Amino acid sequence: MAGENDKFGAMAKQTLPSRSDVLLGGLALLTLSFLRLGPVRADDAAQVKEIAPGVCVHQGRYELQSAANQGDMSNAGFVVGRDAVAVIDTSGSAIMGRRLRAAIRQVTDKPIRYVINTHMHPDHVFGNAAFKEDDPTFVGHYKLARGLMSRSEQYLAASKAMMGAETVEGIEVIPPTLAVQDKTTLDLGGRALILEAQPTAHTDNDLIVTDTATNTVFLGDLLFSVHVPTLDGSIRGWLELINQLKERNAARVVPGHGPHAMELPEAVAAEERYLSTIAKGVRALIEQGKTLEDATRTVGIFERDDWKMFDQYHVRNVTAAFAELEWE
Amino acid sequence: MSGRTNTLNRGAFAAALCLLIAGATVARADETWDSLKKQNFGDRAIQAEDGVVILDAPATAEDAAIVPLTIRVPPSVTQNLKSLYLIIDKNPGPVVAKVTFGPAAGTGGERKFSTRVRVDNFSHVRAVLETEDGTLHMASKFIAAAGGCAAMQPKDPDTENEGLGKLLVKTFPPALSTTPLFDAQVMIKHPNHNGMQLDVNTAKFIPARFVNGMTVKRDGELVFSMESSFSLSTNPNIRFSFGRGKDNALDVAVTDTDGTVFKAQTQPSGS
């Protein structure tokens, strides 16, 4: 649940045109005009930006899922190697998955060999079904299947309630067929992706994906920017992982929610400040014998203007942090 | 046009859905309560919202697995308290807790009882208090549990049984030595499995095992005893007031459905 009915996506943020932007320019403009006029057509290619050679990212909106945004509320990307393509997250509906696939097909005809999910949340996995026709290997953290399958009914019900029966049509819960226990390397032909399973942080099944050719690191929801972080794992684990991320050598990182690409260590600064503020505030109240309700009313409220979706997730974050930290 | 739709937030959505559900099921909701009322209180009259008992609960459950509830009895009510029922109409096993108060529950100020519960659905939550004179008083709130029961799943199943049975008891002495009521808190590390969670690795349901009883004594006298259901949140947390005594040392015993008994004490304080 929770970070789970997540939401997303911002179409408006246009930056300098890259190669794929130029390639897709005409269609992108068309897409944009449709967006302005009304719902997106299912067969429109998703807008993607090439952030490094052969690495493209679609930016999701900063929203809850709805019929209007069709579950387009998290970042999704793909990497093109000499022989094959790997997709990294598939957005929040089969419609969005098909739009992402259409964007890939505008860039390359190479087979889509891998569909990697950075974690279990529906806004990152509910587009998986769109890739079934490619018969790919679905890849995720070894705990992803358990987390997703035990929540799938609720995820499906929430998506249906939020987006409507028509928009959720085609969504299937597809768990990984390749489970990453620790570290795994995938080969796209002269291009290796390194997959690293993480200890409990944003969820208990976060996976980091590194494209070695460009040293681009897909952090999934271990990195939120603009969109307030959502805590569905462990605040202590997440802060510990952020400390490691700051030391990491990466040419660029891709957040699960936020701009197409960012740079370390600045990328994690806001998220670290937010989570530390919560941890510190909650610990202080616990120390003073205050209650969970006290915490939800006061902790971190000055962060409100710095984030989108704050009202939707902040109280839940504080609640989760309190329930965890009161047992320290 | 799409811009307008995009501004729909979860709160608005929850409110809208809540209205829909409330509108469509008013009759059924009443029936649910009518039958719960009959089962638990027979034909006895219940005075609703008469100010003897006050229920604090969020209108929307931000995390349906951890919904904080506080029941308060204002200082203007001076009688001893006999019992308290916490009921969530739409939960499987709607009676969350039955609390029986003893002589050490205290009087002479605002008396409080708080816990955290799981809310399975949009539902009324009720506190029914029996005072010493045998009358019943009720406060209720409607809670929109926007997260549904997805939240029933532990965030980290591999660690949820760590330290099972760890029992922490704290007392919070009032600032003045003349204040007649103390605050205290009991926390127990316990997954409170409701028997409805599927273990996807084995495709079997995780057997129910939850805290079903708690007794708290102050200096040997009963503050309260409680029978509880799996609607208490994981790691049950109870906060309550009790009457000032000589040593104000608490003895707590907690039982679960496996028959395990967990015990803890606090040292004398603030007497």
Side-chain angles (χ1 to χ4, degrees), chain B residues 148-203:
Chain B
C149 47
M152 300 286 179
Q153 304 300 335
K155 292 194 187 337
D156 189 348
D158 294 328
T159 60
E160 65 171 344
N161 285 321
E162 266 175 26
L164 188 149
K166 185 177 178 187
L167 183 57
L168 297 181
V169 184
K170 287 185 213 167
T171 54
F172 306 100
L176 297 175
S177 62
T178 49
T179 304
L181 294 173
F182 268 53
D183 280 343
Q185 177 170 280
V186 174
M187 294 165 61
I188 179 156
K189 201 101 169 72
H190 201 293
N192 248 30
H193 283 303
N194 59 12
M196 299 170 205
Q197 291 153 317
L198 197 62
D199 180 340
V200 294
N201 291 334
T202 62

Side-chain angles (χ1 to χ4, degrees), chain B residues 191-219:
Chain B
N192 248 30
H193 283 303
N194 59 12
M196 299 170 205
Q197 291 153 317
L198 197 62
D199 180 340
V200 294
N201 291 334
T202 62
K204 287 180 181 158
F205 286 100
I206 299 167
R209 183 182 181 185
F210 55 88
V211 167
N212 63 353
M214 182 181 295
T215 302
V216 177
K217 290 180 179 173
R218 180 222 61 203
D219 305 338

Side-chain angles (χ1 to χ4, degrees), chain A residues 59-259:
Chain A
Q59 185 185 350
R61 308 183 197 195
Y62 304 120
E63 294 171 8
L64 294 172
Q65 69 267 61
S66 67
N69 66 31
Q70 300 184 316
D72 176 16
M73 46 188 199
S74 71
N75 293 354
F78 59 91
V79 177
V80 184
R82 187 190 62 221
D83 303 334
V85 181
V87 181
I88 301 163
D89 283 345
T90 59
S91 197
S93 67
I95 294 173
M96 277 307 301
R98 287 197 292 275
R99 294 187 56 215
L100 181 64
R101 190 174 181 282
I104 295 170
R105 282 295 167 245
Q106 287 182 334
V107 177
T108 177
D109 289 331
K110 292 173 186 173
I112 296 170
R113 192 178 288 163
Y114 300 105
V115 173
I116 304 164
N117 294 122
T118 59
H119 63 292
M120 67 179 170
H121 286 155
D123 53 326
H124 297 261
V125 307
F126 271 5
N128 282 9
F131 297 92
K132 269 181 23 180
E133 61 184 289
D134 300 298
D135 196 22
T137 301
F138 289 93
V139 191
H141 189 293
Y142 75 105
K143 293 184 182 178
L144 189 152
R146 176 178 66 183
L148 176 60
M149 298 318 280
S150 62
R151 293 168 175 82
S152 57
E153 265 179 55
Q154 290 82 18
Y155 283 171
L156 289 167
S159 286
K160 193 172 177 182
M162 300 287 280
M163 297 195 281
E166 202 177 315
T167 309
V168 297
E169 205 163 308
I171 291 178
E172 286 177 52
V173 178
I174 303 179
T177 44
L178 173 63
V180 181
Q181 187 92 30
D182 177 28
K183 200 169 183 176
T184 295
T185 302
L186 304 178
D187 182 17
L188 303 178
R191 185 165 201 159
L193 297 184
I194 299 177
L195 280 51
E196 299 163 88
Q198 303 300 315
T200 304
H202 167 65
T203 66
D204 73 351
N205 52 84
D206 303 308
L207 187 72
I208 293 179
V209 182
T210 303
D211 168 43
T212 53
T214 61
N215 200 14
T216 301
V217 179
F218 288 83
L219 290 174
D221 281 4
L222 292 171
L223 177 58
F224 280 78
S225 178
V226 185
H227 184 303
V228 73
T230 65
L231 175 60
D232 195 19
S234 159
I235 193 166
R236 285 191 299 177
W238 200 348
L239 281 166
E240 210 172 294
L241 192 50
I242 287 171
N243 261 329
Q244 295 169 23
L245 290 177
K246 287 194 290 190
E247 306 297 319
R248 197 167 176 125
N249 164 34
R252 65 195 66 74
V253 293
V254 180
H257 300 260

Side-chain angles (χ1 to χ4, degrees), chain B residues 77-92:
Chain B
V77 177
T78 54
Q79 295 188 60
N80 285 322
L81 309 179
K82 269 171 100 166
S83 68
L84 173 69
Y85 283 65
L86 262 184
I87 296 172
I88 303 175
D89 289 9
K90 295 295 182 63
N91 267 23

